[in-house]
Amino acid sequence: MNETLLLSASGLSKTYGSGETAVAAVRDVDVTARRGEFIAIVGPSGSGKTTLLAMIGGLLTPTSGSVMIEGRDVAKLGARERARYRRESVGYVFQANNLLPFLTARENMTVVAAIGGGDRRAAGRRADLILEELGISNRTGALATELSGGERQRVAIGRSLMNDPALILVDEPTASLDSARGRQVVELLAFEVRSRDKLGIMVTHDDAMASLADRFIELSDGSLVGAGSSG
Amino acid sequence: MIGLLELRRRKLQFGLIALVVTLVSYLVLMINGLGVGLNIQAGSVLRNFNADGIAYSDNAGLSVIRSELSSEAVTAIADADGGDRTAPLGYVAANYRRTSGVVKSAAFLGFVPGTIGEPDLVKGRILAADDERALLADSRFLAVADLEVGDTVSVTVRLVTEEFVIVGEIDEGAFFFQPAVYVLLSTWQRLRYGESGDGQPAASIVLVKGGDLVPGEGPGYKIVGKGTAFNNIEGVQGQQSTVQALRVFGFVIGGLVIAVFFYVITLQKVTQIGILKAVGASSMFVFRQLVIQVLFVTSVAVAVSVLLAWATALALRQLPDGVPIAFTTQTYVLTVAGLFVVGLLATLISGRQVLKVDPIIALGQQQ
């Protein structure tokens, strides 16, 4: 594991609304993490797990606090810079049905390169390579709607790796999978994160899946209530 | 490009949109064609006059039907211009009998051979000074009446029927929605006012070419340019404003159809747009895909509708009494350009929706 800190979030808070209707989704959370780590964020529904993930991934702007990634504060980036940050530094794996249904498995991966204006052929070669590694090279030309839940998540993992980002953020990746397939997907994720020296952060409410991570962070009512090694 | 890939994979959905846009586009083209056709029928003869201006009697209110110029006024106009670039012209509507026996109306224009009022000949010969019972007929007149040069046609005016020989074919168009027929000015006088008598008008109007007489006025006459003259043809103003209103409605409806369809599609794709934004796509990138799709659908629709309109115009021309729809290159170009403009303007509504999509939606959350 690389000992240099990749993520250093401190005093992170997110409040929705204002006045009497204000809801504090995340309260004063500190998180640090290094490359090569695979971390699980656990907690009950509504505890602020996804909000925390979204702030780290540049999808939400914190109400207060900072999210330092590779030396820059993501919380202070403008809309365009945040889009660029998400494109270049973050790979997302969302819940099921997160692929574009009218694109094939391969196109769903190369679309990330197309957004960034990258070389199409190089992106295609990289997509083929990753699909091969993920064991679904035989489904390259299948439309997203023709893929099984497990295959879709593998393609989503592949898409998250396309731009070789430092961070892989994962939101409930096993939500629509049975436990065996879910476990396979998370194991694959953990393997890719560790072997590629990325930082992986996974939101899950499933303890069995969290146990596959290196360590966990537990939230309750938006506050950090526990942390430790998994397994 | 994702936009084009989506078009390819969702052929049915976009095909149906293209079909509706095609129909609207076809409708707009036909309305514009009707505008041009009505213009041609209303007064292409007037537009084709070898003149810059037209002199009317000053009390005619710029109406060819009501204008009656005395020989003194005709001479005054000729003298004012120098005399060699003016030509008196008479107008009267007369009925003619087709070979099928059907009675139709034609615009009989009396002219003096050798003046600027003489029409260009397509076939046959021009009228001689003694061709009192001969006429030059427009191609359209000959086609719809199933006549040709050399045939005789019976013409009825003022309860009198006379036989005329068609000695030449011209291509001057129509006047007051009637095919044009040229006769000698003296023949026109006889048809219009009966056998000669004192005090008869010498012409309905006088054509004026060049010089500085247009616009102008003198004792008993008023001269205006051809554009003004055309706009003052009875019914033209009302007809043009009606067509113009239909044209505007057509473009507005076309724009709305494109706007609504793509807006609905955009609403259906909010999650997908959210995912694209979450993985780093800018709003501009997503909007570009939308514009590509609108341009593609509009291009296909416009291409098909132009072909349809062209085929329709061709078919209508085969009818004996043609529907007044005509297309010029300008009609096609302006209509197509207009449809592209309204199509692109319509995408702005969907573009606003694209801007509003928050990438957080990809995580199943709303901010």
Side-chain angles (χ1 to χ4, degrees):
Chain A
M1 190 189 301
N2 191 326
E3 291 305 312
T4 313
L5 278 182
L6 177 66
L7 164 68
S8 175
S10 61
L12 263 188
S13 296
K14 181 68 186 177
T15 304
Y16 293 113
S18 59
E20 290 181 5
T21 57
V23 176
V26 172
R27 307 163 198 251
D28 200 23
V29 171
D30 297 331
V31 187
T32 55
R34 294 176 169 75
R35 278 182 176 275
E37 272 194 302
F38 187 47
I39 302 169
I41 303 176
V42 297
S45 287
S47 58
K49 306 185 294 290
T50 301
T51 301
L52 177 60
L53 190 82
M55 287 192 287
I56 294 170
L59 288 174
L60 277 179
T61 309
T63 308
S64 62
S66 64
V67 183
M68 302 299 293
I69 304 281
E70 293 178 315
R72 63 179 165 171
D73 190 352
V74 176
K76 288 195 167 61
L77 297 178
R80 188 174 291 198
E81 290 165 312
R82 267 193 292 149
R84 186 171 180 169
Y85 161 71
R86 291 196 298 270
R87 191 165 65 235
E88 294 176 354
S89 303
V90 184
Y92 275 106
V93 181
F94 308 112
Q95 293 182 26
N97 297 322
N98 59 53
L99 300 180
L100 298 177
F102 53 86
L103 298 183
T104 63
R106 188 175 191 263
E107 288 162 353
N108 260 291
M109 291 173 65
T110 54
V111 74
V112 181
I115 289 168
D119 184 306
R120 265 201 212 165
R121 283 186 184 174
R125 282 195 298 271
R126 182 164 170 76
D128 290 338
L129 205 67
I130 293 173
L131 284 166
E132 176 89 41
E133 284 177 20
L134 296 175
I136 46 169
S137 56
N138 58 330
R139 305 293 282 151
T140 300
L143 287 174
T145 48
E146 297 165 353
L147 299 171
S148 69
E151 286 172 336
R152 274 203 287 270
Q153 284 306 61
R154 280 169 190 257
V155 174
I157 292 168
R159 183 178 64 187
S160 73
L161 297 169
M162 274 300 286
N163 279 348
D164 197 22
L167 267 172
I168 306 287
L169 302 181
V170 191
D171 182 37
E172 302 280 11
T174 61
S176 61
L177 302 177
D178 59 49
S179 56
R181 283 182 201 279
R183 188 176 179 86
Q184 281 176 4
V185 166
V186 175
E187 280 176 346
L188 182 65
L189 262 168
F191 171 77
E192 292 296 335
V193 164
R194 289 168 189 141
S195 64
R196 293 171 190 266
D197 202 27
K198 312 284 182 199
L199 167 58
I201 303 176
M202 172 178 69
V203 163
T204 182
H205 62 274
D206 187 334
D207 289 343
M209 299 305 154
S211 68
L212 298 171
D214 298 317
R215 61 188 174 98
F216 72 91
I217 293 167
E218 187 177 0
L219 295 181
S220 179
D221 287 334
S223 300
L224 193 64
V225 293
S229 298
S230 300
Chain B
M1 277 296 188
I2 305 169
L4 289 177
L5 277 172
E6 188 179 10
L7 280 171
R8 221 170 78 191
R9 302 274 158 70
R10 289 179 167 168
K11 288 189 191 79
L12 181 65
Q13 190 178 19
F14 285 100
L16 287 173
I17 297 172
L19 176 67
V20 177
V21 178
T22 300
L23 294 176
V24 174
S25 163
Y26 175 64
L27 180 70
V28 174
L29 272 167
M30 294 308 282
I31 291 169
N32 283 347
L34 182 68
V36 173
L38 286 173
N39 264 352
I40 291 171
Q41 292 286 311
S44 52
V45 162
L46 191 148
R47 285 194 188 280
N48 289 335
F49 281 152
N50 178 26
D52 301 316
I54 295 170
Y56 298 81
S57 55
D58 57 0
N59 56 0
L62 301 183
S63 163
V64 176
I65 298 172
R66 291 191 294 275
S67 179
E68 290 182 319
L69 291 165
S70 63
S71 55
E72 290 79 15
V74 171
T75 307
I77 296 164
D79 289 347
D81 189 57
D84 58 342
R85 287 177 300 172
T86 65
L89 212 68
Y91 164 80
V92 65
N95 287 334
Y96 68 94
R97 188 177 293 277
R98 285 183 182 179
T99 47
S100 61
V102 177
V103 175
K104 299 289 284 183
S105 174
F108 280 68
L109 296 163
F111 76 104
V112 178
T115 65
I116 58 169
E118 181 179 300
D120 291 332
L121 203 65
V122 174
K123 207 158 97 181
R125 64 171 177 83
I126 203 72
L127 297 179
D130 59 348
D131 277 332
E132 285 293 320
R133 305 273 174 176
L135 57 81
L136 306 173
D138 188 74
S139 312
R140 185 80 193 147
F141 172 90
L142 295 176
V144 298
D146 196 22
L147 292 165
E148 57 184 44
V149 173
D151 286 350
T152 301
V153 63
S154 55
V155 176
T156 305
V157 66
R158 296 174 59 252
L159 302 176
V160 178
T161 301
E162 293 184 21
E163 299 281 313
F164 280 80
V165 178
I166 303 165
V167 298
E169 183 178 335
I170 54 174
D171 188 18
E172 298 294 318
F175 202 45
F176 292 122
F177 300 91
Q178 308 158 107
V181 168
Y182 277 73
V183 294
L184 292 175
L185 189 65
S186 52
T187 306
W188 164 78
Q189 271 184 313
R190 195 184 71 246
L191 288 170
R192 179 81 172 82
Y193 301 106
E195 291 303 327
S196 62
D198 290 341
Q200 280 182 355
S204 299
I205 53 173
V206 171
L207 305 185
V208 179
K209 190 173 171 64
D212 51 6
L213 288 180
V214 185
E217 54 190 309
Y221 67 87
K222 184 175 183 181
I223 304 172
V224 296
K226 278 206 291 187
T228 308
F230 180 82
N231 289 330
N232 279 280
I233 292 175
E234 278 79 354
V236 162
Q237 290 278 21
Q239 161 205 305
Q240 286 307 303
S241 43
T242 306
V243 169
Q244 186 61 28
L246 288 173
R247 192 179 286 152
V248 170
F249 282 134
F251 279 122
V252 170
I253 291 168
L256 282 175
V257 166
I258 296 173
V260 169
F261 274 121
F262 278 91
Y263 185 68
V264 170
I265 285 182
T266 306
L267 286 181
Q268 288 173 340
K269 294 194 301 188
V270 162
T271 308
Q272 291 166 31
I273 293 169
I275 290 168
L276 275 173
K277 285 189 172 184
V279 298
S282 63
S283 293
M284 189 46 74
F285 176 87
V286 182
F287 182 62
R288 233 177 11 241
Q289 309 312 310
L290 183 72
V291 170
I292 287 169
Q293 290 179 341
V294 170
L295 284 178
F296 189 88
V297 167
T298 310
S299 300
V300 170
V302 160
V304 174
S305 63
V306 163
L307 280 175
L308 277 175
W310 175 77
T312 308
L314 207 65
L316 289 174
R317 269 207 288 274
Q318 309 309 315
L319 297 175
D321 285 311
V323 180
I325 285 181
F327 293 101
T328 58
T329 309
Q330 193 187 28
T331 317
Y332 285 123
V333 171
L334 290 180
T335 309
V336 166
L339 286 166
F340 272 107
V341 169
V342 295
L344 287 174
L345 286 175
T347 57
L348 294 178
I349 299 168
S350 303
R352 199 167 150 264
Q353 185 62 33
V354 167
L355 279 176
K356 279 161 60 179
V357 173
D358 193 321
I360 192 70
I361 206 165
L363 291 175
Q365 287 203 334
Q366 291 291 350
Q367 201 165 3

